[in-house]
Amino acid sequence: AIRVADSDAIVLIQGPSGTGKELIAHLIHKNSPRKDRPFVPVNCSSIPNELLESELFGHEKGAFTNAYTAKPGLVEVANGGTLFLDEVGDISPIIQPKLLRFLETGDFRRVGGTNELRADARVLSATNKDLPEEARMGRFREDLLYRLNVITIRMPALKDHREDIPVLVDYFLKKKARTKQPKKLTDNAIKALMKYDWPGNVRELEHAIEGAIILSQGEVIDVDDLHLNEI
């Protein structure tokens, strides 16, 4: 991830749900020349198809019911920075060609607008889908797939890179700390985390640490504070 940060190359991050794809996107942005500009995440699966185009590209006043004022899209908000398209495999075939055009030229039009606008946003995307298979099935444009995966980073399940668990734990302890001095884990707690299979991957680890910080007494987190399903 650090190696690709210096470039403006479009990056596709692939992996199962919860493997920390957005963390990697943040890491790329924070180590890029765009680090002082906005990082704008968009969860493409949580926004209805009829609203996603407006969210991405904005709309003009009167473009649809309740569009009382013009609104810039997230590509404009991300101008000069990074646009992160999470679950990009869920983007509607109707919007895919408009996204492809933006990726190729930087040009777009707001919904209901005729003016050609331009934004300079580096695009990172992530998916838990097999996009080549989606393309073979006709659900995802092949040309958009090739445009999105100039560089591909594959995220393994957490159980396949357990050696990173202590580093991730340290990161989450600092991120979720409620005081200036983050809590610490006992050796037994670390051992328990290393043995656990993590079906929810990095996201489950983050939630486990967050819960343990809240529920533990004092400044030390022990096994009983973790509340893992198998322990």
Side-chain angles (χ1 to χ4, degrees):
I2 301 297
R3 288 201 300 271
V4 304
D6 275 341
S7 74
D8 256 351
I10 298 170
V11 178
L12 177 65
I13 307 166
Q14 288 188 305
S17 293
T19 48
K21 296 186 287 293
E22 186 167 347
L23 280 176
I24 293 297
H26 264 293
L27 183 66
I28 292 171
H29 174 72
K30 288 296 183 185
N31 286 275
S32 78
R34 297 172 179 262
K35 63 185 177 184
D36 296 323
R37 303 294 296 160
F39 175 87
V40 180
V42 188
N43 189 319
C44 301
S45 66
S46 67
I47 302 173
N49 287 335
E50 60 271 18
L51 295 180
L52 184 57
E53 182 180 358
S54 173
E55 281 292 304
L56 284 175
F57 302 118
H59 62 254
E60 298 293 355
K61 180 180 179 181
F64 47 81
T65 305
N66 297 330
Y68 299 121
T69 59
K71 178 187 173 186
L74 294 176
V75 296
E76 293 174 77
V77 176
N79 188 41
T82 302
L83 180 69
F84 174 55
L85 302 175
D86 197 8
E87 303 302 348
V88 71
D90 290 334
I91 287 182
S92 159
I94 298 170
I95 302 172
Q96 288 177 26
K98 298 173 182 180
L99 175 60
L100 176 62
R101 182 168 178 268
F102 174 71
L103 292 174
E104 290 182 333
T105 66
D107 297 335
F108 65 97
R109 288 179 184 168
R110 290 178 178 173
V111 176
T114 55
N115 292 335
E116 199 80 2
L117 303 175
R118 174 165 290 195
D120 170 29
R122 182 188 190 175
V123 176
L124 308 176
S125 60
T127 184
N128 59 10
K129 292 187 173 182
D130 182 342
L131 289 188
E133 178 61 23
E134 292 291 304
R136 281 192 291 272
M137 298 295 290
R139 291 189 289 259
F140 201 84
R141 290 178 65 110
E142 197 169 20
D143 48 3
L144 178 56
L145 167 61
Y146 293 143
R147 198 74 190 90
L148 285 171
N149 71 348
V150 173
I151 296 173
T152 300
I153 296 174
R154 301 187 189 280
M155 298 294 293
L158 183 55
K159 65 181 180 180
D160 295 328
H161 61 112
R162 295 176 190 270
E163 67 277 5
D164 291 335
I165 288 174
V167 177
L168 289 166
V169 167
D170 186 58
Y171 171 75
F172 291 134
L173 285 171
K174 292 174 181 174
K175 178 183 176 184
K176 304 291 183 180
R178 298 185 156 199
T179 62
K180 289 185 178 179
Q181 188 63 38
K183 294 190 177 186
K184 295 182 179 179
L185 269 68
T186 65
D187 288 343
N188 283 340
I190 288 287
K191 288 176 183 175
L193 295 178
M194 296 293 283
K195 289 179 181 176
Y196 185 62
D197 262 352
W198 300 109
N201 294 302
V202 175
R203 185 181 296 127
E204 185 182 3
L205 174 61
E206 180 176 9
H207 292 167
I209 297 301
E210 184 176 13
I213 290 171
I214 295 168
L215 297 173
S216 58
Q217 300 293 321
E219 299 307 309
V220 178
I221 295 170
D222 207 350
V223 176
D224 292 340
D225 301 315
L226 293 169
H227 296 283
L228 301 177
N229 293 331
E230 296 177 8
I231 294 174

